[in-house]
């Protein structure tokens, strides 16, 4: 049975339009010298088709109909404008005559192929932001509607409409000519064009967001644009290089997603599902690129790498040494962090995971890769290859948390799961951060500020990062990549947050690798056990000093908080006291308490000598007549005032001067217990 | 999406004009990145048929040359309508005859 296909007129108009629009807009732009106007006039023809074809039927040659109608609109426009400008009149007249000569019954208007090339250079002009170039190119060269472009880039139609309108406005304001770039600018302009095409391809090939791993429509558009450009500019090796690269990458489209949409890595792909037709086309394009000659540029080198993969019959057959060498060449012409990361992968395969891992180490401080999920993904792979499964698992989890694409996220989670049950010793960063911020004794502002710091830490290091293996070096790296350029106040605020968190979580000094910014004093290191022994062995140690120092050392609390203690705050039986000053960065006990051990417990009753109220630590002297301290700082029984921080510090320095090699004496800060000694 | 267009030969013998127009058409489609592969096909060909365990190989048949496939084009387009539009253009060039347009699935 034969069923006649009744054409859906709208879809037919759309198909004819998409096949012709680049040529139509290009030749109209040459006529009216304004790409925005040209596109409007061309759109008029499209609207006319949508109005007329449902009534009159689809013409025999829909493409030619659209072209002729659009050119007629352009001529009408020029004739109207001729009243104002004689020069344009002349131009329109000439064009009209040329047009009439071409109007045979079946005449396809003679298009200048260079017009389309001019249009490519125009819509990819460097005066436009990259996103605008991509949108405008799809619009003018691909004939896509704003809605289609919006769907491809997962933004709203309004965004695209505005982006395209702004781009056209910019081109008009900057008076960008409808011309081929001259020799001096050709390389730069061409690389802008190639960049846009490859961006469109990549947006389709490795959809950066959304649920689908691929948006094949965009890949097709990019491929078509690339093939078109290769015909228009056949003397440019990089154009053929880009085409080769895209053809070969596209050949793997079917093999690189699994049945449930998950990504299948290259070495696990079923090579029988690679599209040999596209591979052959890629090889052919590569040959053309080589024929043209010249030093291989970034696209040719990437294509050469793709060729290596395509030539391997199995993953094991892959010539990784050759690929690593090509990447080495590529990093010289295109030293981007992502290329360097790919090189690490190749080197890992060619010369072992440790060699690859070493290359990724240098990338950890690169701000560009800070939130790039493939860096931890690659590291996870290399670490797993070295049998360092716990570290690999952390990296995979972190990669999953950074991945914006759902299918990729699921894949990375699975990689982590495959490494066996998580066996991190003790708590992990994500949960600890939640608990730290969830305390009731943090005021909202502090909580918000600390939250900001910890979010960044979690994002970069991963929620599953075991606290036990969190190092000051890792923290320092996060700080350098994130706030390395920030104002000192910002840096110090985040540093204070990490210090507070580290203190709360009883971690080693997490900020050891971070200096306070803007000329403030470097953090003093805690006294080591030998130095402490020397302190406790000082001759004729006054009872008050010894008690204070022991308490500072055993509690790890800040001197200000300890000096602020009153007798009423002490719980001698339970060896703890409530602190009154809240200095989050220095008060270790999470609930605002100071606790101590036997050394202090032995001395405290002796020091108090039956006192029941007033400051615990009193100065030796009564205040002079000129100074009247607050009542809270005076002992109601003896009239003596509270020992001041300055005085306590002075006394400690004096006492320890003989012990300090620098002969300055130690500061009270250094009595804090050393990391791990609590 | 990909479509395979196969074309049976027509009664009219190809002339210079047809060759020239067809050449331009193929160039244009190649340049536009639409035409992936194209070629002519010998009429008849070799037929391999299987029935049960038996596989038979035969030449031809050549008798009805009109039904023999004479050419193919593998195109990559955005929609069925684009494929039809291209087939229409092709038919306008070659004159009377018939082409079949089939969507290709896979690989």
């Amino acid at each position: 049975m034969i069923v006649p296909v009744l054409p859906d007129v709208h879809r037919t108009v759309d198909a004819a339009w998409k096949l012709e629009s680049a040529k139509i807009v290009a030749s109209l732009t040459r006529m009216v010298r304004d790409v925005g106007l040209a596109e409007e006039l061309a759109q008029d023809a499209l609207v006319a088709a949508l109005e007329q074809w449902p009534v009159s039927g689809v013409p025999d040659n829909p493409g030619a109909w659209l072209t002729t109608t659009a050119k007629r609109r352009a001529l009408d426009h020029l004739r109207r404008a001729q009243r104002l400008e004689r020069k344009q009149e002349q131009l329109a007249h000439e064009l009209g005559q040329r047009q009439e000569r071409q109007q045979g019954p079946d005449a396809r208007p003679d298009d200048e192929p260079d017009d389309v090339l001019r249009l490519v250079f125009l819509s990819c002009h460097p005066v436009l932001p990259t996103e605008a170039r991509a949108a405008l190119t799809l619009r003018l060269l691909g004939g896509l509607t704003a809605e289609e472009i919006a769907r491809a880039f997962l933004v709203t139609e309004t965004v695209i409409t505005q982006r395209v309108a702004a781009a056209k406005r910019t081109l008009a304001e900057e008076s960008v000519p409808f011309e081929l770039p001259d020799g001096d600018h050709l390389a730069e302009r061409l690389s802008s064009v190639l960049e846009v095409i490859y961006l469109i391809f990549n947006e389709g090939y490795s959809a950066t967001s959304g649920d689908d791993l691929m948006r094949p429509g965009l890949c097709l558009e990019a491929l078509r644009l690339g093939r078109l450009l290769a015909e228009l500019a056949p003397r440019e090796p990089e154009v053929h290089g880009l085409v080769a690269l895209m053809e070969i990458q596209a050949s793997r489209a079917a093999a690189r997603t699994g049945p449930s949409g998950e990504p299948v890595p290259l070495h696990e792909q079923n090579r029988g599902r690679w599209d040999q037709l596209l591979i052959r086309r890629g090889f052919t394009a590569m040959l053309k690129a080589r024929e043209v000659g010249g030093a291989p540029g970034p696209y040719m080198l990437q294509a050469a790498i793709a060729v290596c993969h395509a030539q391997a019959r199995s993953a094991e057959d892959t010539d990784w040494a050759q690929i690593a060498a090509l990447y080495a060449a590529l990093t010289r012409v295109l030293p981007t962090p992502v290329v360097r990361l790919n090189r690490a992968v190749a080197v890992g395969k060619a010369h072992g995971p440790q060699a690859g891992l070493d290359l990724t180490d240098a990338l950890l401080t690169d701000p560009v890769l800070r939130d790039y999920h493939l860096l931890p993904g690659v590291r996870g792979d290399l670490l797993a290859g070295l049998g360092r499964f716990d570290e690999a698992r952390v990296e995979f989890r972190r990669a999953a948390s950074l991945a914006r694409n759902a299918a990729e996220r699921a894949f990375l989670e699975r990689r982590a799961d495959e490494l066996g049950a998580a066996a991190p010793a003790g708590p992990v960063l994500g949960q600890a951060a939640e608990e730290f911020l969830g305390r009731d004794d943090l005021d909202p502002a502090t909580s918000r500020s600390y939250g900001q710091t910890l979010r960044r830490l979690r994002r970069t290091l991963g929620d599953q990062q075991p606290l036990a293996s969190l190092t000051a070096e890792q923290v320092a790296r996060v700080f350098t990549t994130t706030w390395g350029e920030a104002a000192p106040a910002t840096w110090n605020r985040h540093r204070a947050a990490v210090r507070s968190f580290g203190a709360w979580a009883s971690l080693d000094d997490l900020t050891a690798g971070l200096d306070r910014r803007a000329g403030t004093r470097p953090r003093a290191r805690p006294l080591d056990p030998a130095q402490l022994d020397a302190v406790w062995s000082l001759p004729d140690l006054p009872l008050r000093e010894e008690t204070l120092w022991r308490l500072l050392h055993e509690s790890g609390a800040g001197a200000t908080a300890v000096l602020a203690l009153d007798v009423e705050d002490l719980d001698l039986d339970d060896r703890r006291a409530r602190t009154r000053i809240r200095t989050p960065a220095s008060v270790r006990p999470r609930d605002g308490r100071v606790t101590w051990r036997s050394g202090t417990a032995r001395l405290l009753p002796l020091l108090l000598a039956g006192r029941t109220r007033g400051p615990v630590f009193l100065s030796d002297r009564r205040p002079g007549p000129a100074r009247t301290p607050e009542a809270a700082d005076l002992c109601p029984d003896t009239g003596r005032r509270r020992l001041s921080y300055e005085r306590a510090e002075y006394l400690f320095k004096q006492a320890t001067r003989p012990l300090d090699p620098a002969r300055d004496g130690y500061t009270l800060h250094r009595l804090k217990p050393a990391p791990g000694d609590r | 999406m990909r479509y395979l267009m196969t074309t049976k030969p027509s009664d009219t013998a190809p002339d210079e004009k047809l060759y020239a127009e067809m050449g331009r058409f193929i160039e244009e489609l190649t340049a536009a990145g639409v035409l992936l592969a194209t070629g002519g096909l010998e009429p008849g060909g070799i037929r391999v048929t299987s029935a049960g365990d038996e596989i038979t190989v035969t030449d031809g048949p050549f008798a009805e040359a009109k039904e023999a496939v004479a050419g193919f084009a593998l195109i990559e387009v955005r929609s069925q309508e684009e494929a039809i539009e291209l087939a229409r253009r092709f038919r306008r060039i070659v004159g009377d005859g018939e082409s079949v347009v089939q969507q290709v699935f896979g690989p």
Side-chain angles (χ1 to χ4, degrees):
Chain A
M1 193 175 80
I2 292 175
V3 184
V5 179
L6 294 173
D8 175 324
V9 175
H10 278 88
R11 295 180 59 121
T12 305
V13 174
D14 183 59
W17 168 255
K18 283 194 168 64
L19 290 170
E20 295 298 325
S21 70
K23 277 178 280 182
I24 297 177
V25 174
S27 42
L28 260 57
T29 306
R30 177 158 47 85
M31 289 167 73
V32 301
R33 298 279 151 185
D34 175 346
V35 71
L37 176 61
E39 206 227 345
E40 270 172 42
L41 293 164
Q43 288 283 334
D44 285 349
L46 180 64
V47 171
L50 287 167
E51 284 168 1
Q52 293 175 30
W53 295 4
V55 183
S56 63
V58 176
D60 275 350
N61 194 341
W65 190 98
L66 284 170
T67 307
T68 311
T69 309
K71 289 192 173 177
R72 208 170 280 144
R73 304 271 160 159
L75 284 174
D76 288 348
H77 169 85
L78 289 174
R79 290 204 178 100
R80 277 198 303 277
Q82 83 184 9
R83 287 179 224 123
L84 301 168
E85 287 189 54
R86 291 189 63 84
K87 198 175 178 185
Q88 279 202 332
E89 175 192 1
Q90 185 63 29
L91 181 65
H93 183 66
E94 285 168 11
L95 279 167
Q97 286 199 327
R98 189 153 22 134
Q99 189 75 3
E100 251 121 66
R101 279 199 302 277
Q102 288 164 357
Q103 294 287 316
D106 186 322
R108 312 239 323 117
D110 205 15
D111 294 301
E112 286 196 27
D114 275 358
D115 278 349
V116 176
L117 189 57
R118 288 188 180 98
L119 189 62
V120 175
F121 278 112
L122 190 68
S123 70
C124 296
H125 199 280
V127 294
L128 302 172
T130 313
E131 285 177 332
R133 283 184 238 164
L136 194 64
T137 302
L138 286 172
R139 174 84 172 159
L140 299 181
L141 278 308
L144 268 58
T145 64
E147 192 205 336
E148 287 167 326
I149 301 169
R151 219 181 311 133
F153 286 107
L154 303 184
V155 294
T156 65
E157 196 180 332
T158 319
V159 169
I160 295 297
T161 310
Q162 286 168 352
R163 206 175 277 172
V164 169
K168 287 182 195 159
R169 208 160 46 238
T170 306
L171 290 176
E173 283 166 5
E174 302 281 329
S175 309
V176 176
F178 186 63
E179 279 167 8
L180 297 178
D182 54 31
D184 294 346
H185 299 102
L186 184 63
E188 176 208 352
R189 296 285 303 276
L190 189 67
S191 87
S192 171
V193 172
L194 299 179
E195 182 194 332
V196 170
I197 296 176
Y198 197 43
L199 180 136
I200 293 171
F201 182 83
N202 267 324
E203 188 56 32
Y205 192 67
S206 48
T208 53
S209 50
D211 291 334
D212 291 328
L213 203 61
M214 282 194 69
R215 288 195 283 278
L218 273 183
C219 290
L220 176 60
E221 294 302 335
L223 265 171
R224 279 166 78 143
L225 285 168
R227 293 166 184 163
L228 174 72
L229 196 61
E231 294 290 331
L232 296 176
R235 300 302 306 158
E236 298 298 330
E238 278 291 88
V239 176
H240 297 296
L242 173 63
V243 172
L245 177 62
M246 293 193 298
E247 301 272 17
I248 296 176
Q249 286 191 331
S251 78
R252 302 197 284 258
R256 67 194 284 272
T257 39
S260 39
E262 76 281 11
V264 180
L266 189 64
H267 63 278
E268 287 173 20
Q269 286 175 11
N270 175 357
R271 287 167 194 241
R273 298 190 66 202
W274 287 1
D275 187 334
Q276 292 301 320
L277 176 64
L278 292 185
I279 291 178
R280 291 270 302 282
R281 292 178 62 93
F283 288 179
T284 309
M286 199 60 192
L287 287 176
K288 282 186 196 153
R290 291 213 179 105
E291 270 167 29
V292 177
Y299 291 107
M300 263 186 80
L301 285 167
Q302 289 175 84
I305 291 164
V307 166
C308 280
H309 285 299
Q311 279 173 332
R313 291 183 173 273
S314 68
E316 293 69 40
D317 287 348
T318 309
D319 188 352
W320 283 110
Q322 168 75 1
I323 293 174
L326 285 166
Y327 267 118
L330 185 58
T331 47
R332 281 192 289 275
V333 292
L334 194 71
T336 67
V338 174
V339 169
R340 288 161 63 204
L341 179 61
N342 284 325
R343 183 183 172 209
V345 175
V347 167
K349 298 273 190 190
H351 311 299
Q354 187 61 55
L357 196 63
D358 292 346
L359 285 176
T360 66
D361 282 345
L363 296 170
L364 290 171
T365 47
D366 198 305
V368 174
L369 295 180
R370 197 182 67 193
D371 290 334
Y372 188 54
H373 64 288
L374 287 182
L375 175 57
V378 165
R379 284 180 62 84
D381 227 29
L382 294 166
L383 286 164
L386 288 169
R388 291 156 67 176
F389 299 124
D390 284 347
E391 292 160 88
R393 194 182 307 106
V394 172
E395 293 286 12
F396 280 132
R397 297 259 186 250
R398 206 185 119 215
S401 75
L402 292 173
R404 287 199 290 153
N405 179 291
E408 254 187 314
R409 198 159 46 235
F411 168 76
L412 289 162
E413 287 289 358
R414 217 183 55 241
R415 288 296 309 269
D417 292 342
E418 282 165 4
L419 290 171
V428 293
L429 176 60
Q431 204 191 342
E434 298 280 350
E435 285 172 17
F436 170 70
L437 294 170
R439 294 173 307 155
D440 355 330
D441 61 339
L442 275 187
D443 64 84
T446 312
S447 176
R448 205 163 39 245
S449 162
Y450 284 5
Q452 202 188 13
T453 313
L454 289 171
R455 252 197 313 284
R456 170 43 58 193
L457 226 50
R458 290 168 65 178
R459 205 162 152 70
T460 310
L461 300 175
D463 276 351
Q464 299 305 313
Q465 163 75 46
L467 280 192
S469 61
L470 185 61
T471 64
E473 194 195 352
Q474 282 175 302
V475 173
R477 220 163 49 214
V478 176
F479 268 65
T480 315
T481 51
T482 314
W483 299 299
E485 309 294 316
T490 308
W491 171 278
N492 291 338
R493 175 166 62 81
H494 291 297
R495 179 177 172 275
V498 174
R499 285 184 63 176
S500 176
F501 174 68
W504 171 83
S506 310
L507 288 171
D508 294 359
D509 193 352
L510 284 182
T511 50
L514 309 170
D515 286 337
R516 266 185 71 83
R517 291 266 170 109
T520 41
R521 63 166 184 273
R523 180 157 169 71
R525 272 191 301 169
L527 298 174
D528 63 33
Q531 291 170 317
L532 280 168
D533 275 348
V535 170
W536 307 138
S537 311
L538 283 170
D540 305 316
L541 208 54
L543 176 61
R544 184 191 64 189
E545 266 64 57
E546 195 186 353
T547 313
L548 173 63
W549 300 348
R550 288 271 181 194
L551 179 52
L552 286 173
H553 177 65
E554 291 179 1
S555 69
T560 317
V562 164
L563 289 169
L565 290 173
D566 285 343
V567 181
E568 298 95 301
D569 300 325
L570 304 181
D571 185 342
L572 293 178
D573 292 334
D574 284 336
R575 296 180 178 181
R576 62 184 187 180
R578 188 164 49 88
T579 54
R580 297 181 164 217
I581 304 182
R582 298 233 40 89
T583 46
S586 58
V587 180
R588 279 184 67 243
R590 64 188 68 174
D591 50 5
R593 283 167 194 271
V594 177
T595 59
W596 55 86
R597 297 198 301 256
S598 57
T600 311
R602 179 172 52 81
L603 296 168
L604 261 179
L606 302 173
L607 176 71
L608 297 179
R611 281 191 290 134
T612 56
R613 51 187 182 153
V616 173
F617 299 99
L618 295 170
S619 67
D620 310 316
R621 299 161 292 192
R622 289 188 174 80
R627 311 176 69 177
T628 43
E630 302 268 339
D633 287 331
L634 283 175
C635 172
D637 299 318
T638 63
R640 289 196 290 168
R641 61 169 298 180
R642 187 185 299 275
L643 180 63
S644 71
Y645 184 100
E646 288 74 13
R647 177 77 185 156
E649 180 90 320
Y650 169 77
L651 290 171
F652 186 60
K653 277 193 169 179
Q654 287 296 109
T656 56
R657 191 167 292 219
L659 308 177
D660 182 11
R663 293 291 174 258
D664 288 328
Y666 304 137
T667 59
L668 288 171
H669 274 299
R670 302 190 60 187
L671 278 171
K672 291 202 176 196
D677 179 30
R678 10 187 104 122
Chain B
M1 48 184 88
R2 285 183 186 172
Y3 285 85
L4 180 70
M5 185 170 75
T6 42
T7 301
K8 298 167 185 181
S10 61
D11 289 335
T12 49
D15 56 10
E16 293 268 317
K17 180 169 168 284
L18 192 150
Y19 275 122
E21 278 186 36
M22 188 57 68
R24 268 205 303 277
F25 184 59
I26 287 173
E27 266 174 38
E28 187 193 330
L29 288 195
T30 306
V34 170
L35 187 62
L36 294 182
T38 186
L41 299 169
E42 71 168 304
I46 300 163
R47 238 153 254 246
V48 184
T49 48
S50 54
D53 292 338
E54 201 166 326
I55 293 175
T56 319
V57 182
T58 48
D59 272 353
F62 304 106
E64 294 189 65
K66 277 183 191 171
E67 287 195 10
V69 171
F72 79 96
L74 185 64
I75 54 174
E76 192 157 47
V77 289
R78 301 182 182 90
S79 62
Q80 181 186 293
E81 285 75 14
E82 280 194 13
I84 294 174
E85 168 65 11
L86 294 173
R88 290 166 65 100
R89 276 195 213 165
F90 174 77
R91 292 291 352 155
R92 254 197 307 278
I93 295 169
V94 294
D96 296 351
E98 183 184 327
S99 294
V100 179
V101 178
Q102 291 164 289
Q103 187 171 355
V104 178
F105 302 103

